[in-house]
Amino acid sequence: MPSHLLDTTEGLRLADRAAWLRWGPYLSERQWGTVREDYSADGDAWNYFPFDHAHLRAYRWGEDGIAGFTDDRLRWCLSLALWNGRDKILKERLFGLTNEQGNHGEDVKELYYFLDGTPTHSYMRMLYKYPQTAFPYDALLAENRRRGLDEPEYELLDTGVFDGDRYFDVTVEYAKATPDDILVRISIDNRGPEPAELHVLPQLWARNTWDWRTGIPEPGLELSNGGVIAWHNRMPTRLLSIDSDAPWLFCRNETNSRTLYGSQEPGPFKDGINDFVVAGRGDAVHHSKGTKCAAHVQLTVPANERRVVRLRWRPVDADVAGTGEAVAGVTSGAQADPFADHDAVFGRRIAEADEFYAALQTRVADPDARLVQRQALAGMLWSKQFYRYDVRRWLEGDPLQPKPPPSREAIRNGDWQHLNNRDIISMPDTWEYPWYASWDLAFQCVTFALIDPEFAKQQLLLLTHEWFMHPNGSLPAYEWNFGDVNPPVHAWAAWRVFRMDAGLRGTADFEFLERVFHKLMLNFTGWVNRQDVEGRNVFQGGFLGLDNIGVFDRSKKLPVAGRIDQSDGTSWMGMYALNMMRISLELSTRNRVYQAMATKFFEHFLAIAAAMTQQNGRRGLWDEADQFYHNVLRRPDGSAIPLRLFSLVGLFPLFAVEVLEPGVVERCPEFAERLRWVLNHRPDLAGLVSHWDVEGQGSRRLLSLLRGHRMKALLRRMLDETAFLSPYGVRSVSRQHLDKPFTLDLDGQHFQVGYVPGDSNSRAFGGNSNWRGPIWMPVNFIIIESLYGFHHYYGDDFRVEYPTGSGVTHSLREIADALSARLIRLFLRGPDGKRPISGDVARLHDDRFFRDHVLFHEYFHGDTGQGLGASHQTGWTGLVALLLHGREPDDPTQMDMPTG
């Protein structure tokens, strides 16, 4: 078996990535309720295109479905629909509540799991659990609306529809025989005690591109010899076959204007297949042609038995030259029996997936840890989606549609009319967040670099392209407000991915590093010009991805007079400056010109360090009495009020750390000279940062916002189990605020922040996430990375008490390892057989059909570790795959990447 990841069959396949990635799981799980589909006058995206319209209305910018597979331009879409004979509509898409309907904001109310996948999508597998009784749409809506903010969410398992095991496990698998020859296997397991009927409807349809402007040819689907021929003017003609004599049903992927608007259009419309199967309307479908079709497979599945449905989706022209794999039995452009090798192809692809992960997991000994890591990476792969959004066209409207209200330009994204996206992008969560977010994407790229660093590099470059990045240097935050400010972690991710890629491939991609560096210089300058309003190197930035962590809603105008100097914003910029400095130094090994850029960012960092400590005699962000960093409210009269809330923002100065190897400085004499000049001529600046002028372990140099004393002071609080340290990681707000909430009375108003370890108890910033106590994976990951960095300089002799008050000291590396173990513990089965993420739901721990299916939640309860928020946010929570991976023994800041 190959020992190197890239020597496996799947690894070698990545060399032909353009071909193998033409098809993948790029279909969204939710297109309704998105900003892209919102043409309302008030910007209420959830209500303009609600779930109840999703089966009736054609989407303008995308499509959605269950277990979808599509091409990289979303021209042809495959997905699965089901009907148990009792539901009021076909189960064509996942159901969930809007932000207004859920007692903690939007939330998908389904049970599904991403179980496996390979980077080229040569093999993919997911599981959907479908009740045999009527799906409780109304009960989920009513009970969640009834519940208050202080109550748990009402979930599908709570409704009782899975009692008695009366449900189907529906497993959907895809395997590619060649890059364009796609095999589908749908396995239906009846977990119940009696035979049960199920309608299985594999669907194929064309994204509607023809109803918006003239001159767009309409694709076509047509029945042919028991299969369906698919014609598209932009693609080769294809054939969809099924291994049964199930009848095919056809309709048109067009809005049912008759039902919605009272028109006299004849149809059949987008919901025609639904109306035929559920309502028995024979006139709702066509039986030979359309732009959407489904095979209608009717099964009676005996108790505890399985039935399998097989399909094949392939070009009619079987000329697949260059794939390296023969397609046996091809005659006249199609296989004589498309299912003769169906199981054999699946067998090969599964074996190749096993080979790929075996090479990856050579240092992951525990079988449960391997399971968690593999499912985390599967979730990452299933979360790649086609994203289409042309802001200018969206604002102006389409020629064949009513002109949208002019007020929309002032509501959302009016100053982002250059943005025109049509790309495969890694999404945070395929249902709750079916749109990219800039800082989420940075973390997602670092995880992707473990298995597909080329994709990670492409994603990082993508946001810096002219059709993404704003002319002022801003990266697009997310579609609800592209101009919002996310933490500037792109440079950190780019450097991290660059190193991981070099470790895996054995050669460094300097072209990538140089390209991303030049674009990030624009972004850095934009931050300096726009977020440092007074030019004092103290940064604002707004909510910075932390939603409700502060005293005020930082995404809105302050409710009191003044402005906030943000410890987190300033710390992020300190980290950004060091990241850019380090990238400059690396590039200077190829071009000495970059030494000047390294000097520029070094001096930026020193200025930020000064601002963190003092403001020309005014209060800085460090509070000597509390031995902690606080945000500071600057009042119009010049007074300053420290906001003495103990939250993550006070720990963020730990993030700004860079350790320079002696060889790096020696290779950059101009930069070394500038270091010496500052040491000799500006001791006031040199004294503000850690002992960068003192050689550490291995003659290394340290650049950090924190001298040893301040770092130990922060760690003392962070590692205190009565404060920040949870059994499962570092909390976002100190537990000390449980009994002693932070309060502020100002300008006739009362403000309070307490420790809230679970779901949010307020509607601030939508109420669908909470940074006032829970554990968040991305910031915990950077804390761990930072501690490894400090240890790389200080070595084992620098020791800190852990946990605080225990009387036992550890090296910073040992503490980083221990924090990593706490986070990993969230997902692994403990001695009692339970995974903390699953809370107190017995079935998730005890039932053999549930207990080894892992969800990767958005955040975690600060005391119990229960998963909360978006349930499939494998995005940044997928970082656990890295924590489970090994690190290089001589440099724990580097992942252990397989070598030949």
Side-chain angles (χ1 to χ4, degrees), residues 243-444:
D243 68 341
S244 75
D245 57 359
W248 290 92
L249 309 174
F250 294 81
C251 62
R252 299 175 60 77
N253 186 21
E254 296 175 4
T255 296
N256 190 333
S257 56
R258 194 162 57 198
T259 296
L260 289 171
Y261 312 121
S263 78
Q264 299 303 309
E265 292 291 328
F269 302 107
K270 178 179 178 179
D271 61 332
I273 297 171
N274 174 86
D275 288 353
F276 177 87
V277 176
V278 177
R281 281 189 47 212
D283 63 341
V285 298
H286 198 283
H287 291 280
S288 63
K289 62 182 179 179
T291 53
K292 176 181 177 180
C293 71
H296 188 192
V297 182
Q298 300 183 61
L299 300 174
T300 298
V301 186
N304 301 306
E305 290 194 18
R306 169 179 293 185
R307 294 292 181 267
V308 178
V309 177
R310 297 174 177 85
L311 298 99
R312 193 160 193 156
W313 170 237
R314 65 205 192 281
V316 169
D317 180 1
D319 181 9
V320 289
T323 64
E325 296 189 38
V327 181
V330 174
T331 305
S332 302
Q335 279 187 269
D337 179 0
F339 302 101
D341 63 345
H342 202 276
D343 290 344
V345 171
F346 267 101
R348 287 200 303 273
R349 295 297 177 256
I350 292 171
E352 291 161 1
D354 291 342
E355 175 193 60
F356 181 80
Y357 285 106
L360 178 73
Q361 298 178 328
T362 54
R363 301 181 97 184
V364 183
D366 177 51
D368 194 42
R370 292 199 296 269
L371 176 146
V372 170
Q373 186 187 50
R374 189 159 172 173
Q375 289 188 28
L377 294 170
M380 301 293 298
L381 293 164
W382 275 97
S383 298
K384 293 162 68 172
Q385 292 179 19
F386 175 80
Y387 185 88
R388 180 78 179 103
Y389 190 15
D390 180 340
V391 172
R392 182 186 59 80
R393 186 178 296 176
W394 174 75
L395 287 169
E396 294 176 354
D398 293 296
L400 298 181
Q401 299 296 318
K403 190 161 184 65
S407 60
R408 297 166 68 247
E409 186 168 340
I411 295 173
R412 184 171 290 128
N413 299 332
D415 58 343
W416 284 78
Q417 296 192 38
H418 71 286
L419 189 137
N420 188 351
N421 300 165
R422 189 181 62 178
D423 301 276
I424 303 301
I425 306 179
S426 171
M427 302 297 170
D429 179 288
T430 53
W431 190 95
E432 189 154 330
Y433 303 118
W435 31 259
Y436 63 88
S438 61
W439 84 303
D440 299 58
L441 184 58
F443 291 105
Q444 290 153 215

Side-chain angles (χ1 to χ4, degrees), residues 741-779:
F742 169 82
T743 60
L744 177 68
D745 293 286
L746 196 65
D747 295 351
Q749 301 177 76
H750 177 76
F751 304 93
Q752 179 172 307
V753 177
Y755 172 69
V756 183
D759 283 311
S760 177
N761 61 1
S762 79
R763 280 285 184 177
F765 213 85
N768 63 324
S769 64
N770 182 27
W771 286 83
R772 293 184 173 181
I775 299 149
W776 289 77
M777 182 65 74
V779 289

